[in-house]
Amino acid sequence: MTDYNGYITTETIEGADDGPLAGRTVAVKDNISTKGVQTTAGSAMLEGYVPPYDATVVRRLKEAGATVPGKTNMDEFGMGTTTETSAYGAVENPAAEGHVPGGSSGGSAAVVAAGDADMALGSDTGGSIRCPAAFCGVVGIKPTYGLVSRYGLIAYANSLEQIGPIAPSVEEAAELLEVLAGPDEHDATTREAPDAEESYADAADGDVDGLSIGVPTELLDGADEAVVETFWDAMDDLEAQGASYHEVDLPSVEHAVEAYYVIAMSEASSNLARFDGVRYGLSASEASGGSEGERSESSGESGGFEGNWNESFANAREEGFGEEVKRRILLGTYALSAGYHDKYYKKAQDARAWVKQDFDEALADADVLASPTMPVPPMERGESLDDPLTMYLADANTTPVNLANLPAISVPAGETDDGLPVGLQIVGPAFGERAIIRAGSALA
């Protein structure tokens, strides 16, 4: 393995002897449960946790003959845009030395870009597959919400996140999606996609003749000049192959980042409440250095720890969580608190409905929509750690798609003059994976 820190563990999981992915290696992001192999979500809170079951997507990988070469590094609990918040150290970008690989699935994109895995699984809550795919010069697909099972995914924000493929080419990403997609009795949010005559891989034929592409001008405003120039070069390439493009309006995206982070942080506050040192995660005794399970002789309360329970709870979370996770839990708890729920969370949900409406209207006049995946090239390592607001705003082009629960793909669009990768994002209607795969395959 190379020294870019893409893997947390390198314990191999063998698949079936045959199947559509036989002979291929598929790395798995470390927030996806793997039976018998440590799964930490990039957090000290879950160090040493070994799941007793496979996530549905992992089971499907094994049945398809894939070999899992290891679990990939990630921003802690999926909270980050740079893969620098992991308890196991930051990840280097193999495609751009000295720069971040994007996040939170940075390890997955990095191992594919480095050639240390044929393909990988990531999870995308607000761009966490597409961002690292763009920064590392590979392909990433965020499926329609409900197309791929989330059973076995350690939750960050349930209503937003989806598991999806990262691969060197669109065709390979589509082949992996074929294995992952489909209803799951363990996940009630999964749905059957509409019947289609072709597979996802067959849709990667590069035929964009007659394709109508909408370009939301709002997703170009404020983007880095080099990114915008590379984006338009890619659009001209698509036009030369028979596609056409025109400008469309998505006025609601002005508020999408704010709405996304209120909703995501609120759901994170709820989901991560289980990691209290008693039910899940680092125990209070491990955090404080005391003997495990000490009981109070004077307390008549069942299960009471010696000392103050709130203090034990706080100690476990103080030691187990990193700074970014703490920040998001605090903000989410505040947004859900009495007196502020209607002011923040309810308004964010109203904005989410507005975003979905705008996308539906734009897609009524175009087959797909296109924009730069990220408004900036890969940042230098350490550049955004002390400026979380800038990091949040970098998700401006990807978070609206998650709010609308639509599919999107990031494909390499080219490089800046400094040699930094730039991604092009293509968004389709619900369950329109074949449309975005076809459009993306004309470029990658």
Side-chain angles (χ1 to χ4, degrees):
M1 298 296 176
T2 52
D3 60 359
Y4 57 91
N5 203 29
Y7 284 102
I8 290 178
T9 61
T10 53
E11 186 171 345
T12 301
I13 304 172
E14 300 289 348
D17 293 334
D18 56 10
L21 296 180
R24 311 243 205 135
T25 55
V26 183
V28 174
K29 187 175 180 180
D30 201 42
N31 61 346
I32 300 172
S33 295
T34 44
K35 184 177 181 179
V37 177
Q38 177 179 268
T39 300
T40 71
S43 179
M45 180 65 84
L46 284 174
E47 186 172 6
Y49 169 64
V50 178
Y53 70 100
D54 279 327
T56 295
V57 291
V58 172
R59 175 176 57 80
R60 289 177 177 175
L61 285 181
K62 292 162 69 173
E63 291 172 351
T67 296
V68 177
K71 307 297 293 294
T72 59
N73 207 346
M74 58 177 286
D75 282 304
E76 185 180 8
F77 283 102
M79 300 181 191
T81 308
T82 62
T83 313
E84 294 177 287
T85 71
S86 171
Y88 301 93
V91 177
E92 177 83 25
N93 187 338
E97 186 177 351
H99 293 75
V100 301
S104 64
S105 307
S108 289
V111 300
V112 172
D116 284 336
D118 295 325
M119 296 176 277
L121 297 188
S123 64
D124 192 310
T125 309
S128 291
I129 287 174
R130 290 159 289 156
C131 167
F135 280 3
C136 291
V138 294
V139 175
I141 299 176
K142 180 261 170 197
T144 304
Y145 187 82
L147 181 66
V148 176
S149 173
R150 291 183 298 107
Y151 177 72
L153 175 66
I154 296 174
Y156 161 22
N158 310 57
S159 74
L160 297 163
E161 57 202 8
Q162 274 285 268
I163 295 171
I166 296 174
S169 70
V170 173
E171 183 176 3
E172 290 166 292
E175 290 174 356
L176 182 50
L177 181 62
E178 195 76 48
V179 169
L180 304 178
D184 176 22
E185 63 180 358
H186 298 299
D187 181 357
T189 67
T190 54
R191 292 169 283 173
E192 186 76 62
D195 291 337
E197 296 180 357
E198 62 181 353
S199 68
Y200 295 121
D202 288 342
D205 58 13
D207 183 8
V208 293
D209 189 33
L211 183 75
S212 173
I213 306 174
V215 178
T217 54
E218 294 87 353
L219 299 186
L220 296 172
D221 293 342
D224 183 271
E225 185 177 338
V227 169
V228 173
E229 183 178 340
T230 306
F231 167 75
W232 285 121
D233 287 344
M235 293 302 297
D236 289 342
D237 189 356
L238 289 170
E239 186 177 45
Q241 297 182 60
S244 62
Y245 61 82
H246 60 278
E247 293 184 354
V248 298
D249 291 325
L250 290 175
S252 61
V253 300
E254 177 185 356
H255 307 288
V257 171
E258 295 97 317
Y260 165 80
Y261 274 105
V262 169
I263 293 169
M265 292 179 184
S266 296
E267 293 187 15
S269 172
S270 175
N271 279 320
L272 271 63
R274 73 193 71 180
F275 300 106
D276 56 9
V278 178
R279 292 172 293 180
Y280 296 96
L282 188 72
S283 71
S285 60
E286 290 172 322
S288 64
S291 60
E292 185 174 356
E294 289 182 344
R295 302 291 180 179
S296 170
E297 296 179 2
S298 59
S299 172
E301 295 179 8
S302 174
F305 284 95
E306 184 174 3
N308 185 290
W309 184 89
N310 286 329
E311 184 177 332
S312 298
F313 175 83
N315 286 341
R317 292 165 74 82
E318 170 64 26
E319 295 295 325
F321 290 143
E323 292 304 311
E324 182 61 30
V325 172
K326 293 173 191 173
R327 181 184 295 115
R328 298 194 188 197
I329 290 174
L330 286 170
L331 290 170
T333 302
Y334 178 79
L336 291 175
S337 62
Y340 294 99
H341 179 279
D342 289 351
K343 184 177 181 180
Y344 296 112
Y345 185 73
K346 185 177 184 300
K347 283 186 177 179
Q349 292 289 9
D350 290 342
R352 181 178 192 169
W354 183 19
V355 170
K356 178 71 166 68
Q357 177 181 305
D358 277 359
F359 269 104
D360 289 344
E361 291 177 358
L363 286 165
D365 296 325
D367 297 317
V368 296
L369 307 178
S371 73
T373 305
M374 301 297 290
V376 294
M379 295 83 82
E380 292 184 6
R381 286 183 58 181
E383 183 179 341
S384 61
L385 282 178
D386 296 328
D387 189 1
L389 182 57
T390 297
M391 181 172 65
Y392 300 161
L393 291 175
D395 296 332
N397 290 8
T398 54
T399 54
V401 180
N402 296 74
L403 291 173
N405 290 338
L406 297 177
I409 187 171
S410 178
V411 298
E415 295 181 346
T416 67
D417 291 340
D418 296 329
L420 299 177
V422 175
L424 182 140
Q425 173 179 246
I426 301 169
V427 182
F431 296 103
E433 275 75 10
R434 290 172 180 82
I436 62 172
I437 286 169
R438 178 165 282 111
S441 65
L443 295 174

